Amino acid sequence: MLCVSSSFPLLGTASSAMTSSPVSRFVGFGVPTTTLRYDQEQRRRCCSWTGIEKKMTSLRLTKTASASSAYPLFLSQLNKHSPRPKTYKEVTKSAREMFAKETSIQSKDSEISIAKALLYIAAEDEAFLAYNREMDAQSLMNERKSVPSEAEQSDDSNDAEQSDPSKTDESDPSEELLQIEGKSISEWLSELDTISKEVEAELVSRDIGCHLTQVLDAVNAVLFDWRGFKRATPIALDPECFYLHSVLNHRCSTAFLLSVIYIEVCTRLGVPIVGSRVGEDFLIWPKLDYPEELFKVTSGKSLFSIVNGNCVDDPATMASDLTAKSLEGLEIATNRDIIGIALANLVRLHWRNATKSSPGLMLTSPLNLLNNISNTNSRLVRPQELRLAIAALERLLIMYPHKWQLRRDLGMMLYYARQYGEAIQELSICMAFVEDDEEVKMLELFVEKLHLLRLLSSLKSPVRLTVP
């Protein structure tokens, strides 16, 4: 269940354990008193967009509906005592700065909160989407209504002043500004705390000792039986399956984010979980001094399969060949790398959605000297999805500023967004880190073409003539 396929080489681990939990005092291994009640292979299709998107389908073109449904982050979902952001950029700026602070390269990896970082990502993207929904609704209203009265014009100007993206605020970032679907960051984190308390209650109700096998069995029971978390089929994957708050809400996700939730819950129970990329899968397991204990079969299942599901028995995966000895040779993921995997998955998701009209379009295909750069750029790319992919890459560069491949990809996305000046800047920085002479030559030729495109685009821009 918790095995994940990923083509990105970024990894990660859990944060420090909470020693105050009674479950952290497990003393060894025992035969589980109950068997696993969740069939790892029975997965139903993930429910499609149910929250904000359904509200938008029934949006009425009135000022009240537009304010409450289309722009939930800044109006209806803020309580009376919470600070009121003036612009969507204030929220995105705060979220980005808090993400950078949480994942700073100066920070110790054990001090980085995976859940917090993923929620900061969601807060920024939700603010961007909410602003665009508001603008779309406002445009529809302007098309439908007749000439407004002076009072309506006054109200419209107030709304525009509140959400104008050209205005910025230099105030310090604050988590109180980040409201995701009506909840603060701390409220979303408390959802994970609640799940861990439910696991403790399950252990008490079973009247069993806190042995590791029983603890993991109880985690599975709470997550997959009681709460109904399930893995989305690849065909049914949508953006809700890639954001932590949506997964906590709708309980349908990619296998990778289910692994993240598993890590967070076990960490709160005092059971440290580590993970690593194995082939195309991301596997997790309890951190033990004697890894061979993971592969001992008890009640028909090994400890390794209890955590990772039936994928470890699938001969088509590299996980099926793992032994205690080979497990020791794997590179344990870091907290920072787990966040990197989540961002890399978002890049892939949003780029795929941005290029739906051109399936199979490769991000780096314009670098091929045989391709016509102008023809490649003329292909239709969805700007909103492209902007989300760019934002994910920018966050990746905060964590890995010297990875030239990330900077190259960001430069290419800026090219598709027709931001030629920014693309030239990123690709020029990229060349300073590339050691392959052929790669440098290819980038240099492409940057020269970008300079030409930038000049042509400036000539095509409308020039306002004034009569003296």
Side-chain angles (χ1 to χ4, degrees):
M1 174 62 201
L2 298 177
C3 150
V4 58
S5 296
S6 174
S7 58
F8 296 90
L10 300 175
L11 305 171
T13 60
S15 54
S16 59
M18 295 176 60
T19 56
S20 60
S21 170
V23 183
S24 64
R25 300 194 295 271
F26 66 88
V27 294
F29 301 93
V31 178
T33 57
T34 58
T35 58
L36 219 60
R37 295 178 293 174
Y38 177 69
D39 185 355
Q40 312 283 9
E41 295 302 317
Q42 291 180 354
R43 305 180 182 109
R44 292 172 294 174
R45 177 183 173 127
C46 173
C47 54
S48 58
W49 289 84
T50 57
I52 297 175
E53 295 301 322
K54 280 190 175 180
K55 293 180 182 178
M56 287 303 300
T57 58
S58 59
L59 178 66
R60 293 177 298 172
L61 297 176
T62 64
K63 188 176 296 297
T64 302
S66 175
S68 61
S69 296
Y71 216 3
L73 277 171
F74 310 132
L75 297 177
S76 66
Q77 292 187 356
L78 291 181
N79 60 51
K80 296 180 180 179
H81 303 291
S82 62
R84 193 184 186 99
K86 297 178 182 179
T87 70
Y88 103 96
K89 278 197 172 181
E90 181 181 342
V91 177
T92 56
K93 176 176 178 289
S94 295
R96 182 67 65 89
E97 289 180 0
M98 284 185 281
F99 173 84
K101 182 179 179 180
E102 185 68 33
T103 60
S104 170
I105 56 177
Q106 286 80 26
S107 302
K108 292 182 179 179
D109 189 75
S110 60
E111 297 174 350
I112 297 175
S113 170
I114 300 172
K116 268 191 177 183
L118 296 187
L119 289 171
Y120 293 148
I121 293 170
E124 181 180 343
D125 286 0
E126 280 295 315
F128 172 77
L129 291 170
Y131 172 76
N132 280 277
R133 284 192 291 268
E134 173 74 0
M135 293 299 98
D136 290 344
Q138 188 66 42
S139 298
L140 288 173
M141 285 170 45
N142 292 338
E143 291 176 5
R144 296 292 183 87
K145 69 182 181 180
S146 58
V147 179
S149 63
E150 292 183 2
E152 290 175 331
Q153 289 177 344
S154 176
D155 291 339
D156 291 342
S157 64
N158 291 337
D159 291 342
E161 182 178 357
Q162 180 180 355
S163 59
D164 184 0
S166 65
K167 300 179 181 180
T168 58
D169 192 298
E170 299 301 326
S171 60
D172 293 333
S174 172
E175 278 191 7
E176 295 178 347
L177 293 178
L178 305 183
Q179 298 282 319
I180 313 174
E181 294 191 7
K183 295 180 181 179
S184 65
I185 298 295
S186 59
E187 287 175 321
W188 284 112
L189 291 173
S190 68
E191 290 285 333
L192 295 168
D193 297 335
T194 300
I195 295 175
S196 66
K197 291 176 182 177
E198 290 175 357
V199 175
E200 292 179 359
E202 167 71 359
L203 290 171
V204 171
S205 68
R206 295 183 183 189
D207 192 25
I208 60 176
C210 293
H211 298 290
L212 183 56
T213 307
Q214 285 91 343
V215 172
L216 296 178
D217 185 52
V219 172
N220 282 1
V222 171
L223 286 178
F224 306 124
D225 287 346
W226 296 3
R227 286 184 166 257
F229 281 92
K230 56 185 176 293
R231 178 178 179 176
T233 60
I235 298 177
L237 290 181
D238 62 42
E240 279 193 345
C241 300
F242 288 80
Y243 290 97
L244 181 59
H245 74 286
S246 294
V247 175
L248 291 173
N249 241 0
H250 305 293
R251 302 173 185 181
C252 185
S253 171
T254 62
F256 172 73
L257 271 188
L258 289 180
S259 295
V260 171
I261 293 175
Y262 209 102
I263 289 172
E264 290 288 332
V265 171
C266 288
T267 297
R268 285 160 171 76
L269 295 170
V271 181
I273 302 290
V274 297
S276 179
R277 185 169 180 258
V278 181
E280 295 299 316
D281 301 320
F282 182 77
L283 304 176
I284 60 175
W285 62 89
K287 185 177 181 180
L288 299 174
D289 294 331
Y290 303 100
E292 56 270 13
E293 298 287 347
L294 294 169
F295 296 91
K296 289 184 178 180
V297 176
T298 305
S299 297
K301 285 187 175 291
S302 68
L303 198 61
F304 198 68
S305 65
I306 287 178
V307 178
N308 290 292
N310 291 340
C311 68
V312 298
D313 300 322
D314 185 356
T317 67
M318 292 181 64
S320 62
D321 298 327
L322 283 177
T323 63
K325 185 175 181 180
S326 60
L327 198 65
E328 290 179 337
L330 295 177
E331 182 179 357
I332 300 300
T334 65
N335 291 352
R336 187 178 282 104
D337 290 336
I338 280 187
I339 300 167
I341 288 178
L343 284 170
N345 288 340
L346 285 175
V347 172
R348 182 170 56 181
L349 167 75
H350 292 305
W351 173 253
R352 183 189 64 192
N353 290 340
T355 58
K356 277 189 174 180
S357 61
S358 303
L361 176 63
M362 298 294 295
L363 183 61
T364 57
S365 61
L367 293 176
N368 189 336
L369 300 181
L370 298 177
N371 290 337
N372 188 320
I373 184 173
S374 58
N375 290 340
T376 305
N377 185 254
S378 64
R379 297 189 184 187
L380 183 61
V381 178
R382 297 181 180 181
Q384 179 172 286
E385 294 288 346
L386 182 60
R387 182 63 249 175
L388 291 171
I390 290 173
L393 268 173
E394 289 171 344
R395 299 187 200 101
L396 275 172
L397 277 169
I398 290 175
M399 297 192 298
Y400 307 103
H402 301 302
K403 281 188 175 291
W404 66 267
Q405 296 93 338
L406 295 177
R407 201 167 292 276
R408 177 201 62 195
D409 291 349
L410 177 58
M412 297 308 300
M413 285 196 179
L414 291 169
Y415 154 71
Y416 280 101
R418 291 180 171 81
Q419 297 176 236
Y420 300 125
E422 293 88 340
I424 291 171
Q425 179 179 341
E426 293 297 333
L427 293 176
S428 299
I429 297 173
C430 170
M431 285 188 285
F433 294 98
V434 179
E435 297 180 356
D436 187 344
D437 292 338
E438 290 295 325
E439 187 79 24
V440 172
K441 183 179 179 180
M442 187 163 30
L443 288 171
E444 285 177 345
L445 292 174
F446 186 75
V447 168
E448 289 178 6
K449 293 183 178 181
L450 285 182
H451 279 291
L452 179 59
L453 283 177
R454 184 182 184 185
L455 177 60
L456 291 174
S457 63
S458 64
L459 295 176
K460 292 179 181 179
S461 60
V463 179
R464 182 173 296 178
L465 301 177
T466 58
V467 180

